Amino acid sequence: MAATSLSATARHEVSPVMSASASVSQTEVAKAFDNDNTTAWTVNATLLKHPQWIMATVANPGDVQSITLTQKGATADQLRKAIEIYVTYDPMNLGEPVEFTVATDRPTGNTILKFPAKYGAHVRLAIKPGVISRTWNLYEMAIAIEAGDSVATTPASTAHISTHLSPSTDA
């Protein structure tokens, strides 16, 4: 994924993800960070009737300012209503969700969740139940960290991703 300018002054880099976990389909969660748009972390419509989440730990903590999703199965309006975004340094204390906007990148069709920069090492997308009504495929999730004077693009690293397992609610 290429670095882009979010505004005239805000520049970012895509941070490598060191670990990822999820409420369901734990063995598939690394697919959301593998730079392969043919693989996905998938949550079926039945499971989306219950709260779900995906959480990533970035390699270098910093001011997280956006998340780019390559996804299928949810409209921008559904994502706006369904998702809560948490950025934290302490994964056991999520704090309050950040306020965000949803935009679609016209050339790629990717969904961009933009918010005021917040310092953290862990990013969690909590998915509210019953808003997304069909199977949701998250092909890629890129986390943008505010950069200093330069922009460096680092693709999500799969070499060091460890998938943390938590109790499954899969049937």
Side-chain angles (χ1 to χ4, degrees):
M1 297 190 182
T4 60
S5 177
L6 296 178
S7 71
T9 58
R11 297 175 67 89
H12 75 277
E13 59 187 42
V14 175
S15 179
V17 169
M18 296 308 292
S19 67
S21 58
S23 54
V24 295
S25 304
Q26 296 90 354
T27 58
E28 306 295 315
V29 72
K31 292 179 179 180
F33 305 97
D34 65 0
N35 284 327
D36 182 349
N37 287 336
T38 65
T39 65
W41 176 66
T42 300
V43 183
N44 71 43
T46 302
L47 292 173
L48 287 168
K49 293 178 182 177
H50 307 281
Q52 304 300 336
W53 55 268
I54 183 170
M55 188 168 195
T57 303
V58 295
N60 301 307
D63 290 325
V64 180
Q65 63 184 15
S66 70
I67 301 167
T68 300
L69 306 176
T70 304
Q71 59 90 28
K72 181 178 166 187
T75 65
D77 190 51
Q78 286 174 322
L79 291 172
R80 187 177 300 105
K81 292 175 184 174
I83 290 179
E84 289 182 330
I85 302 170
Y86 297 89
V87 178
T88 183
Y89 197 74
D90 178 2
M92 300 307 288
N93 181 14
L94 296 176
E96 296 295 319
V98 298
E99 295 289 326
F100 67 96
T101 60
V102 179
T104 301
D105 181 56
R106 294 288 177 215
T108 64
N110 290 340
T111 304
I112 304 168
L113 312 175
K114 296 181 187 179
F115 44 90
K118 183 172 180 184
Y119 187 82
H122 308 277
V123 176
R124 181 173 177 148
L125 296 185
I127 306 162
K128 297 175 190 172
V131 179
I132 301 171
S133 58
R134 60 184 191 179
T135 296
W136 188 55
N137 296 295
L138 181 57
Y139 295 97
E140 292 300 316
M141 178 173 153
I143 300 167
I145 305 286
E146 195 170 278
D149 294 332
S150 64
V151 174
T153 302
T154 308
S157 170
T158 56
H160 297 98
I161 288 181
S162 64
T163 304
H164 297 287
L165 301 180
S166 55
S168 176
T169 56
D170 286 338

